[in-house]
Amino acid sequence: MPVRGVLFDMDGVVVHQRLDFLAIKREIFGNTDGFILERMEGLPAGERLRAEAILERHETAAATTAEPMDGIQPFLAWMEARQLRRGLVTRNSRKSVELVLGRLGLRFDAVVTREDAPPKPAPDPVWLACRRMHVEPSEVVFVGDYEFDMLSGRRAGARTVLLRGATMTESAHADYSVGSLAELRERLEADLARTAGDAASTQGCGSVVPGSLQG
């Protein structure tokens, strides 16, 4: 299937944020075990409200100092020129995401946060982003830097690309990995050129030369 859109994880792919997840877990739970959102699901209502407030405070503070990742702005400009749709799928809150995007002037055709769908690694946020972009999951590439991104994209039927970093250099659930967004652009350029070539070849093979069916 031709690529019609790209989905991005936010932290570590679109922006760099200073979120200390160990500190957040210690403040909420008193220890650093497990994953924050999953552990919050099991809390009683009152404790969960307290946990959500703590997490929101940390995310909002990080959003005020977030910076664009290297290469993201040229990559989005290239997508604009190619008329490729763009989506953001994140486990962060809508409030913090809107603050980040507004501060940095970044625009996406679809933004899916933890309030909108079950969070990654569930496939639901990818499906929702695709519906909002009016594309099929098989027509998008999901770019992330963590295993939850790869699992979410793979389960949804999207192609998955791991953006390698200090914390993760490979994934069995990635279709391929890249070291930078510039490298991803080269891969996608090649894919788009190959798709265009295949389409032209198919049209050529299906054409009929006038008189060629006459004996």
Side-chain angles (χ1 to χ4, degrees):
M1 294 289 289
V3 174
R4 296 181 59 204
V6 179
L7 293 177
F8 300 87
D9 171 44
M10 189 171 82
D11 295 345
V13 176
V14 174
V15 300
H16 170 66
Q17 294 196 100
R18 297 171 181 84
L19 276 168
D20 187 339
F21 293 107
L22 295 181
I24 295 171
K25 284 189 278 189
R26 278 193 292 267
E27 185 173 352
I28 295 176
F29 308 110
N31 57 56
T32 59
D33 299 334
F35 297 102
I36 295 171
L37 297 185
E38 284 71 16
R39 290 189 66 183
M40 284 170 54
E41 282 289 333
L43 294 176
E47 291 182 28
R48 180 168 179 174
L49 287 174
R50 169 185 168 275
E52 289 173 348
I54 292 171
L55 180 57
E56 187 76 75
R57 171 165 49 81
H58 281 271
E59 288 180 337
T60 300
T64 62
T65 59
E67 301 171 349
M69 289 291 289
D70 288 343
I72 186 62
Q73 290 168 323
F75 191 88
L76 293 177
W78 170 78
M79 288 185 64
E80 187 81 26
R82 280 285 194 170
Q83 297 184 320
L84 296 173
R85 295 169 190 175
R86 61 181 79 170
L88 192 69
V89 177
T90 176
R91 286 164 59 97
N92 290 20
S93 71
R94 179 161 293 277
K95 176 183 176 181
S96 63
V97 171
E98 289 178 348
L99 177 57
V100 168
L101 299 185
R103 278 188 57 246
L104 301 181
L106 299 173
R107 182 190 63 79
F108 292 87
D109 299 308
V111 175
V112 177
T113 67
R114 64 170 175 261
E115 292 92 345
D116 300 315
K120 299 173 293 186
D124 306 64
V126 174
W127 287 332
L128 179 56
C130 288
R131 288 197 298 272
R132 290 178 174 177
M133 294 194 300
H134 306 290
V135 296
E136 295 296 324
S138 59
E139 297 174 315
V140 304
V141 170
F142 187 16
V143 188
D145 67 336
Y146 191 64
E147 192 69 9
F148 279 3
D149 306 315
M150 303 300 100
L151 285 167
S152 183
R154 178 64 62 87
R155 290 167 177 171
R159 280 164 278 188
T160 52
V161 177
L162 175 67
L163 181 60
R164 298 188 299 271
T167 59
M168 192 166 177
T169 58
E170 61 181 11
S171 168
H173 299 101
D175 288 302
Y176 58 89
S177 67
V178 294
S180 67
L181 291 174
E183 182 183 347
L184 175 59
R185 173 179 169 174
E186 292 177 1
R187 291 287 298 259
L188 291 179
E189 284 276 19
D191 289 345
L192 290 167
R194 184 164 51 250
T195 299
D198 290 345
S201 176
T202 299
Q203 289 178 349
C205 291
S207 63
V208 176
V209 178
S212 63
L213 298 184
Q214 298 178 11

